[in-house]
């Protein structure tokens, strides 16, 4: 079982809606991530938080807004999405540091459909 | 820059052995990961190699040659449940960015 939990597992939203994806980890990891994955494609990095501070934003459109309330929680706020944003959104965490500290542990993902 | 290449698809028979190759070009090296992803599920960690050689873990083994920029994942005694995508991934030396290969979809047939 994954130790990174995400909610909701499935979300259908209209293009004018505002919704949020939530993620939690209790492994004491210092880095948390949001990835987007389309069918038959590898995960694409969206955001990285390190010690609760945003350290990487991969030029993600502003309709996606990340938030890290504390070291265990990571949210992704969604607003005015487009149908092409429909994908599997994966939260992940890693211990940080060198070598195996880069191991990324993924949550089960949130399937998002924008209608 | 960083680039990772792996075959798109492979098919193998239950009980057989299959080798999934990965070649990479990176500026600096901080280890190589293999992840397994079943359809509709999240990737799960399989192995990590940072030194040259073979790491064995049950039916799965992973090999690394840093001088050749090459790794492979070896799956023995294949089972139907091994049908999945296998992702080769290389973390950046600095920072928290990990580059994923496109993945190899393995089909195990009876």
């Amino acid at each position: 079982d994954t130790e990174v939990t995400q909610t909701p597992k499935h979300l259908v939203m209209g293009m004018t809606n505002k919704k949020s994806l939530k993620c939690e980890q209790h492994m004491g990891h210092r880095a948390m991530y949001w990835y987007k994955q389309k069918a038959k494609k590898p995960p694409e990095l969206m955001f990285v938080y390190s010690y609760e501070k945003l350290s990487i934003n991969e030029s993600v459109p502003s309709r996606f807004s990340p938030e890290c309330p504390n070291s265990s929680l990571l949210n992704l706020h969604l607003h005015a999405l487009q149908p092409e944003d429909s994908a599997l959104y994966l939260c992940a965490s890693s211990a940080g540091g060198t070598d195996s500290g880069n191991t990324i542990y993924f949550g089960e993902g949130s399937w998002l459909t924008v209608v | 820059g960083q680039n990772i290449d792996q075959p798109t698809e492979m098919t193998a028979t239950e009980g057989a052995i299959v080798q999934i190759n990965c070649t990479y070009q990176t500026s600096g090296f901080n280890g190589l990961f293999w992840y397994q992803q079943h359809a509709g599920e999240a990737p799960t960690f399989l192995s990590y190699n940072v030194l040259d050689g073979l790491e064995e873990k049950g039916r799965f083994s992973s090999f690394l040659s840093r001088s050749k920029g090459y790794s492979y994942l070896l799956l023995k005694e294949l089972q139907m449940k091994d049908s999945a995508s296998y992702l080769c991934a290389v973390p950046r030396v600095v920072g928290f960015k990990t580059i994923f290969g496109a993945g190899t979809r393995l089909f195990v047939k009876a």
Side-chain angles (χ1 to χ4, degrees):
Chain A
D1 284 345
T2 180
E3 295 184 64
V4 180
T5 56
Q6 290 186 240
T7 56
K9 291 205 173 10
H10 297 273
L11 177 62
V12 179
M13 61 185 289
M15 289 187 282
T16 58
N17 291 159
K18 282 186 182 180
K19 297 286 185 183
S20 296
L21 305 181
K22 297 185 183 298
C23 176
E24 189 169 5
Q25 59 89 10
H26 291 289
M27 295 180 281
H29 286 175
R30 64 181 189 178
M32 294 187 76
Y33 308 75
W34 281 114
Y35 283 85
K36 173 183 176 180
Q37 188 175 26
K38 301 281 252 184
K40 300 182 181 179
K41 298 287 188 184
E44 294 177 30
L45 183 63
M46 299 175 73
F47 302 103
V48 180
Y49 274 81
S50 170
Y51 288 114
E52 303 168 45
K53 288 187 171 22
L54 184 65
S55 66
I56 296 179
N57 176 343
E58 291 286 287
S59 303
V60 178
S62 59
R63 58 185 184 268
F64 295 92
S65 175
E67 178 198 17
C68 189
N70 61 51
S71 60
S72 300
L73 295 175
L74 186 66
N75 299 324
L76 186 63
H77 303 299
L78 314 170
H79 174 52
L81 295 192
Q82 303 296 311
E84 59 264 29
D85 296 322
S86 298
L88 177 66
Y89 287 84
L90 294 162
C91 176
S93 69
S94 67
T98 58
D99 298 342
S100 61
N102 288 302
T103 305
I104 294 173
Y105 296 92
F106 288 92
E108 292 185 348
S110 295
W111 286 96
L112 173 67
T113 303
V114 182
V115 297
Chain B
Q2 299 192 220
N3 189 50
I4 298 175
D5 290 310
Q6 46 182 136
T8 304
E9 288 185 2
M10 298 181 72
T11 300
T13 305
E14 197 174 16
I17 298 173
V18 72
Q19 178 175 312
I20 301 174
N21 297 324
C22 169
T23 58
Y24 63 90
Q25 297 91 41
T26 60
S27 49
F29 184 73
N30 197 21
L32 184 143
F33 292 90
W34 284 96
Y35 287 83
Q36 180 191 58
Q37 185 173 26
H38 285 100
E41 298 181 12
T44 56
F45 168 75
L46 283 179
S47 68
Y48 172 70
N49 294 68
V50 68
L51 299 176
D52 290 349
L54 188 68
E55 297 269 348
E56 298 189 66
K57 196 185 290 186
R59 293 190 299 114
F60 292 11
S61 303
S62 54
F63 172 84
L64 176 68
S65 169
R66 289 173 295 172
S67 62
K68 295 181 180 177
Y70 168 68
S71 173
Y72 67 73
L73 182 69
L74 194 70
L75 291 75
K76 302 176 188 175
E77 301 169 17
L78 278 174
Q79 302 175 9
M80 300 297 286
K81 67 178 183 179
D82 297 330
S83 294
S85 284
Y86 292 86
L87 300 161
C88 176
V90 178
R92 287 250 174 94
V93 174
V94 177
F96 291 96
K97 186 167 182 177
T98 292
I99 306 298
F100 284 87
T104 298
R105 277 181 287 146
L106 175 66
F107 299 95
V108 180
K109 59 182 183 179

